[in-house]
Amino acid sequence: MNLFAFTKKTSICFIIVLLPFLFFYWMIPFISNLTIGNDYLEFPIRQQMELLFSIKTGSFPLYVPGFASGHSSAALTLGQVFHPVSSLVSILPGYWDGKAIDWNNFFKLLSLGLAQLALFAFLRKLKLNMLFSFVISLITVYNLRILDLYRYGAPIEAYTAHLILCAAIGWYFINPTKWLGPLCIIGTTYLLVVSGHPQMMYYGLLGAGLFMFIVPFFLSDILDDRQVDYRTAIRFWLKVGFCLLLGIMLSSVYILPFYFDFISMNIDRVGQNYVWTNEALDTFMGTVNNFILPLRSESHGAFGGSSLILMAAILPIVRIFKIKIPRSVWAIWGLLMIMFLYMQGSRTPVHRLAWEYLPLVSSFRIPGRISMIMPVFIMLLLVWIVKEETYSFKLRRLSLTLRPLSILACISLLLIISYYLLHITGYYIFSLSIFKDLFRSYNIGHLFNVPFLWTEFIVIILGMASLIFLVIYSVRTGSARVPGLLLIMVMVVQMGIVLKYRAAFWIEKKYESPTFEAMQKQKRIKLDYLYYPGGGMHSSVVTIQLKRSFLEPFLGKIFTQVIPVDSRDDAYKRMERKRLPQEVFIEGYNPEKARTITEGAKNMKKGAVKLVYSSFNRMQFQVNSQAPAFFGLSYPYTGYWSAWVNGERV
């Protein structure tokens, strides 16, 4: 490699890593006083600091007092305690001095750049030139989906890990190294699983699995030196599947507590009806808008941004021009269509079937979130569109090559113009008719907002310009550097405007995060969780206790009157009829022993209970009682904690 080529490649890598900081220029860490807000400031940063504080002070967080009426720390999943970035930020200067948000923002933005870098390297491996590798990787990473993921915090790590994992799987098929490829797949799978948002982790693994199954056939269709049969594909699937399984097993330290400590006992997020899963459902036209009018799509399912993705949506049109489409490309397009129908929720049977038969899907809200895995499959379609060549012809002195790329770009251009005019005029024509819902979309209220109209118009013009420059670049036989550079510039500006305008809904002023000294002082006063835990975090065990047996607030106390009962329901029924503060109801206890303890404690003076040590996962009490009695802890027994008296387990 000569010096010029090395410098060129290094410069492109530097630009790619720098791009997220350019797109989010208004929230550059340590410089700007703004950031994405919403849930991001409410939950993940605070949960992360709570968990890391426990580790920094010498106890691993298992139980968080006061969180959602008392719950396992597994419910603080957005805190990402097992993700390496959490450990890294906690040791960087300033994290414990108010800069936790800045360091988290820095690594979230950096992860976007690294994800594009991984995809860029993968696309170069597919023998795409630098321009198309840059353009397609840019479209894949940067879209409206990242804003919705970012405002929740942890899901952005699931998104970037998913993209890097797919790139690693594709790279491994092309270059099946003995150790590097498998280790990359295992490590990235771990990062995806422990990312901290279970639903996005689930979709990310689903997308990676689908990518694994389709990529051998797709790559053999676009690479002349790669031919695959079912035996080769099965061998590849087994190797990658084993690596994925190892990555999941490696993350079992997160998965198992999360399932047994949270999912198995949760009542608000698990076992809900079908209506609950269809929250924040976009309209049909709102979903379509992602391809043409991205600002008019609902944020929870938005994945639009660049106008170039419309070419992937209308890909079957090239059959009219007698261009053969490989079966693998049809399969990818079909997968995207299924995802599109899934996003419609109750409007089609696709989501209902997944809700009934796929594991854990019944615990997920918002069908539109599956759009997180759509960009990587749109990327594959765009790769085929770019690489496929058909025939050339001469027009006077100009030699033209008619390719799917130029055909689809021209048709997309006409569709954008037609759809935009129809959408604007159609809303006014049918606003009072039965067709009103057809033209309704997330931002329809802004149709009469002049800044919105101008912003959308500029986005449309830039999208059209990107398609025009793409056509010019594709038909030029000489130097295409100028239209190529103009294409990149227009795309970056269009994407920057789309991201900035939509992000405006969630931009907030950045606050100084709590210092370590402030948290330590607070914990010395009260070992409790200070912040709002979020909806749906409560444990069924705790909720039942509060509803049926809660009598008084205590951490631990002495009970002197023992009442044997046959079952838990029997205890609750007797409590409803009569209950005194000194009474304890014990299931299956010997009546004679109960009577002896009760009689022996009649003349006993009041005992004493003192908390002598407490941490996130251990409490030690000093109990004084003049007669045999029972010590009760206010936290209900779940089977996941144990007690000892004078060193003996009880």
Side-chain angles (χ1 to χ4, degrees):
M1 183 187 298
N2 59 42
L3 182 61
F4 175 76
F6 175 79
T7 305
K8 184 180 178 181
K9 186 175 289 186
T10 304
S11 300
I12 291 175
C13 292
F14 178 75
I15 291 170
I16 288 174
V17 173
L18 200 63
L19 260 181
F21 298 91
L22 175 65
F23 281 132
F24 293 89
Y25 67 92
W26 45 270
M27 55 170 280
I28 294 179
F30 307 105
I31 297 175
S32 172
N33 65 339
L34 300 176
T35 182
I36 286 183
N38 200 253
D39 282 12
Y40 181 57
L41 294 182
E42 187 72 30
F43 301 112
I45 302 294
R46 290 168 173 174
Q47 292 183 7
Q48 181 189 75
M49 296 193 74
E50 189 80 8
L51 297 172
L52 293 178
F53 177 84
S54 170
I55 294 173
K56 188 174 177 66
T57 52
S59 67
F60 190 81
L62 298 178
Y63 166 66
V64 181
F67 182 86
S69 302
H71 213 311
S72 159
S73 65
L76 277 69
T77 179
L78 295 178
Q80 302 175 294
V81 69
F82 296 105
H83 198 284
V85 167
S86 293
S87 300
L88 180 59
V89 296
S90 69
I91 62 174
L92 292 173
Y95 180 87
W96 294 108
D97 297 313
K99 301 300 180 184
I101 297 173
D102 289 287
W103 278 119
N104 275 277
N105 281 340
F106 175 82
F107 282 103
K108 283 178 179 4
L109 295 177
L110 182 64
S111 71
L112 290 170
L114 294 177
Q116 187 188 352
L117 195 60
L119 292 175
F120 176 81
F122 170 61
L123 295 176
R124 289 290 289 152
K125 203 74 175 174
L126 301 187
K127 300 178 181 178
L128 264 66
N129 64 26
M130 284 200 174
L131 176 84
F132 283 128
S133 297
F134 181 85
V135 166
I136 294 176
S137 62
L138 179 75
I139 293 171
T140 306
V141 175
Y142 298 100
N143 49 69
L144 287 178
R145 183 94 296 268
I146 63 175
L147 292 180
D148 188 55
L149 298 174
Y150 204 132
R151 71 187 177 108
Y152 289 112
I156 198 71
E157 271 82 26
Y159 177 68
T160 54
H162 161 70
L163 294 177
I164 297 172
L165 176 58
C166 289
I169 292 172
W171 188 288
Y172 183 59
F173 177 79
I174 299 171
N175 186 21
T177 54
K178 186 175 181 180
W179 293 108
L180 183 60
L183 286 175
C184 287
I185 295 172
I186 294 168
T188 316
T189 302
Y190 172 83
L191 293 178
L192 172 59
V193 176
V194 302
S195 58
H197 197 288
Q199 184 176 1
M200 296 300 103
M201 172 263 287
Y202 184 94
Y203 285 141
L205 287 175
L206 176 64
L210 294 172
F211 186 90
M212 175 190 73
F213 281 112
I214 199 68
V215 79
F217 301 103
F218 174 77
L219 294 182
S220 67
D221 283 331
I222 66 166
L223 296 176
D224 297 331
D225 59 341
R226 293 285 165 179
Q227 298 301 318
V228 68
D229 53 25
Y230 280 102
R231 181 178 295 179
T232 307
I234 291 172
R235 192 159 53 242
F236 173 75
W237 293 337
L238 289 174
K239 289 180 180 178
V240 175
F242 181 69
C243 292
L244 291 173
L245 183 62
L246 286 179
I248 294 171
M249 291 175 64
L250 193 64
S251 58
S252 60
V253 67
Y254 162 73
I255 293 178
L256 295 179
F258 180 77
Y259 180 80
F260 290 107
D261 287 1
F262 179 67
I263 293 292
S264 64
M265 293 191 293
N266 184 260
I267 57 171
D268 300 316
R269 298 278 180 171
V270 180
Q272 297 295 319
N273 57 34
Y274 185 64
V275 175
W276 176 83
T277 67
N278 279 265
E279 283 186 11
L281 194 65
D282 200 359
T283 63
F284 178 81
M285 293 306 297
T287 317
V288 173
N289 285 338
N290 282 284
F291 297 99
I292 302 174
L293 303 175
L295 293 178
R296 294 174 185 252
S297 56
E298 208 280 328
S299 60
H300 288 90
F303 59 89
S306 170
S307 301
L308 271 59
I309 66 171
L310 181 58
M311 295 191 298
I314 63 171
L315 183 145
I317 287 178
V318 299
R319 288 295 297 134
I320 298 173
F321 299 89
K322 308 213 181 284
I323 297 174
K324 185 179 179 182
I325 301 175
R327 282 182 293 181
S328 64
V329 176
W330 276 119
I332 295 167
W333 193 86
L335 280 175
L336 285 168
M337 179 58 67
I338 292 172
M339 294 176 204
F340 182 87
L341 296 174
Y342 179 98
M343 291 175 66
Q344 305 311 312
S346 56
R347 288 192 289 267
T348 74
V350 175
H351 179 257
R352 182 66 187 239
L353 289 171
W355 183 81
E356 290 181 350
Y357 297 108
L358 283 183
L360 299 176
V361 173
S362 60
S363 300
F364 296 159
R365 297 181 304 149
I366 312 171
R369 286 178 173 172
I370 199 174
S371 60
M372 184 190 94
I373 65 176
M374 293 179 73
V376 76
F377 293 101
I378 293 174
M379 176 191 76
L380 296 181
L381 296 184
L382 291 175
V383 168
W384 179 82
I385 292 169
V386 166
K387 287 184 67 70
E388 183 67 16
E389 296 191 12
T390 50
Y391 57 89
S392 301
F393 66 94
K394 286 189 176 182
L395 184 63
R396 294 185 180 180
R397 294 183 179 181
L398 184 65
S399 178
L400 296 177
T401 301
L402 189 63
R403 302 161 58 186
L405 178 62
S406 49
I407 294 171
L408 292 172
C410 291
I411 295 174
S412 297
L413 189 61
L414 295 174
L415 280 175
I416 288 174
I417 296 171
S418 304
Y419 186 86
Y420 182 62
L421 294 175
L422 176 66
H423 202 89
I424 294 297
T425 58
Y427 177 76
Y428 288 102
I429 294 171
F430 298 118
S431 61
L432 299 177
S433 72
I434 59 174
F435 299 100
K436 183 176 181 180
D437 188 64
L438 180 66
F439 293 95
R440 184 177 70 83
S441 60
Y442 178 66
N443 279 305
I444 204 67
H446 294 283
L447 274 175
F448 305 102
N449 182 305
V450 174
F452 172 79
L453 287 173
W454 275 109
T455 303
E456 183 177 67
F457 180 71
I458 293 171
V459 169
I460 289 292
I461 295 298
L462 291 170
M464 292 166 56
S466 65
L467 289 165
I468 292 170
F469 289 131
L470 185 65
V471 172
I472 295 172
Y473 180 87
S474 67
V475 299
R476 285 283 296 268
T477 55
S479 174
R481 182 175 298 174
V482 173
L485 290 174
L486 289 174
L487 170 63
I488 292 174
M489 289 173 60
V490 168
M491 284 181 58
V492 169
V493 173
Q494 182 193 24
M495 186 60 62
I497 293 174
V498 169
L499 291 175
K500 177 64 168 64
Y501 187 86
R502 179 58 69 84
F505 291 100
W506 303 307
I507 293 176
E508 295 183 26
K509 283 201 170 185
K510 188 169 53 185
Y511 61 77
E512 290 283 310
S513 56
T515 65
F516 179 78
E517 288 74 18
M519 293 184 71
Q520 198 170 40
K521 184 178 180 180
Q522 181 268 322
K523 297 297 181 188
R524 284 179 179 143
I525 298 170
K526 186 177 182 183
L527 189 72
D528 204 352
Y529 185 77
L530 288 177
Y531 309 108
Y532 173 57
M537 297 292 107
H538 295 86
S539 162
S540 59
V541 178
V542 176
T543 304
I544 291 170
Q545 183 203 34
L546 289 174
K547 286 181 178 178
R548 305 195 66 179
S549 69
F550 182 79
L551 182 64
E552 58 180 318
F554 66 87
L555 183 58
K557 64 173 289 185
I558 295 173
F559 294 96
T560 56
Q561 294 187 22
V562 183
I563 302 175
V565 293
D566 297 328
S567 64
R568 180 174 295 183
D569 285 336
D570 181 29
Y572 287 143
K573 290 176 183 177
R574 298 184 66 167
M575 288 178 193
E576 289 170 2
R577 291 196 298 267
K578 179 187 176 183
R579 187 184 179 192
L580 299 174
Q582 66 270 26
E583 292 178 339
V584 59
F585 297 80
I586 303 180
E587 184 178 344
Y589 194 70
N590 188 302
E592 286 298 324
K593 289 184 178 180
R595 193 173 337 10
T596 301
I597 292 174
T598 302
E599 291 293 329
K602 278 185 177 180
N603 299 319
M604 185 186 85
K605 294 180 180 179
K606 188 177 181 181
V609 177
K610 182 181 180 182
L611 178 66
V612 296
Y613 177 84
S614 64
S615 72
F616 281 81
N617 56 345
R618 186 164 67 93
M619 286 184 287
Q620 184 177 342
F621 296 90
Q622 186 180 76
V623 183
N624 293 315
S625 176
Q626 289 78 29
F630 273 89
F631 172 78
L633 183 66
S634 65
Y635 189 70
Y637 184 64
T638 59
Y640 304 133
W641 58 268
S642 303
W644 288 262
V645 174
N646 297 330
E648 292 186 14
R649 187 166 175 172
V650 295

